[in-house]
Amino acid sequence: MKKRAVLCITILAVIFLASPSFAGNKRQMTINAAKVLAERSLLETVYGLKVRASESVENLIASSFVGTTETKTVGLLKGVMYDDVVYDAQKDVAKVTASVKLKKITNINGETIDLKGKTYSRVAFATSTPSEAGPLKALRAAQIDAYKQLAKQLVGFTLETQTKVENYMLTSDSIKSKILATLILADVTGFGWHPNGDAYVTMSLNLKDFKEVVGQGVTGGATTVTVEGIGAQVDDFSQAKKSQPAAPGGMGERLPKAP
């Protein structure tokens, strides 16, 4: 009897350790993270987000380019549904589609918007494995870049430039642009990755809806504005800047001659 009891305990222990149902919480944590990211995309769409961006170039040198974009949003979401949940166990990447149906909301600017019961859906990805995060970070960067491009198209931007010439020689040249805008009801119409790993997000906005909300339209007769944002996985630009030798003073030898 004792031998049988020991044998049964040993078998149960082996089954317990080998059973995939006790594999851990990574799958669920990754899926939950994707749900939260999808919720954020919904919030940015229906409540809107504030975009602040700046770009600058010094002395006509591309390596001096500096561009930053920041966004912020806050709001209350109720009744979010998760229509599609897919988990890739090999890569530890979850894909979640979240949707919400809303009648009226008070957006990020404190304005009441009648959404007429429209359903909005957004897709998000997440991972618990740092080595798999590169493409997902690039996708988020592309989304923020798309928001910036939309802001430039719809609200506009300020451009400040200063140039100084001494003794017929360019001594300084500076270009700076600033963007500050609130975007509402922007629709993500496509996303993916190029063969080189860069991510892209296409985003559009119905100008009629935008004008009704913010009271400002875009001239030219277009009904929608569509942009594409780009995001990178590797910062080879900064790497190139560090290894780039100092540029010589004259540029004329490398420029094409005027006809």
Side-chain angles (χ1 to χ4, degrees), residues 42-52 69-73 107-109 111 113 143-156 179-187 203-205 210 213-214 225 227:
L42 283 175
L43 187 70
E44 290 175 343
T45 299
V46 297
Y47 283 89
L49 78 166
K50 294 183 183 294
V51 180
R52 184 192 301 271
T69 305
E70 299 176 2
T71 66
K72 180 181 179 180
T73 189
N107 69 11
I108 194 171
N109 286 339
E111 303 160 330
I113 306 175
Q143 187 180 26
I144 298 303
D145 185 54
Y147 278 124
K148 182 190 71 175
Q149 301 298 336
L150 267 183
K152 293 178 74 172
Q153 291 281 339
L154 297 169
V155 182
I179 305 164
L180 182 60
T182 299
L183 293 178
I184 300 170
L185 304 181
D187 188 22
M203 194 174 287
S204 64
L205 189 63
F210 182 77
V213 172
V214 302
V225 171
V227 298

Side-chain angles (χ1 to χ4, degrees), residues 4 12 39 59 83 116 123 131 133 142 162 165 181 183 185 255:
R4 289 184 179 180
L12 288 174
E39 291 163 359
N59 298 325
D83 309 311
K116 302 176 182 178
V123 177
S131 61
Q162 293 181 339
V165 174
L183 293 178
L185 304 181
L255 293 176

Side-chain angles (χ1 to χ4, degrees), residues 118-196:
K118 183 178 178 180
T119 299
Y120 296 87
S121 296
R122 287 293 177 269
V123 177
F125 300 85
T127 181
S128 301
T129 306
S131 61
E132 298 293 338
L136 309 187
K137 290 181 178 180
L139 189 66
R140 177 59 176 172
Q143 187 180 26
I144 298 303
D145 185 54
Y147 278 124
K148 182 190 71 175
Q149 301 298 336
L150 267 183
K152 293 178 74 172
Q153 291 281 339
L154 297 169
V155 182
F157 56 96
T158 59
L159 189 67
E160 177 185 339
T161 176
Q162 293 181 339
T163 302
K164 186 177 181 180
V165 174
E166 293 182 358
N167 299 329
Y168 307 103
M169 295 290 295
L170 180 73
T171 58
S172 66
D173 188 82
S174 174
I175 304 172
K176 297 180 180 179
S177 69
K178 294 182 180 180
I179 305 164
L180 182 60
T182 299
L183 293 178
I184 300 170
L185 304 181
D187 188 22
V188 176
T189 56
F191 63 88
W193 291 266
H194 295 294
N196 66 352

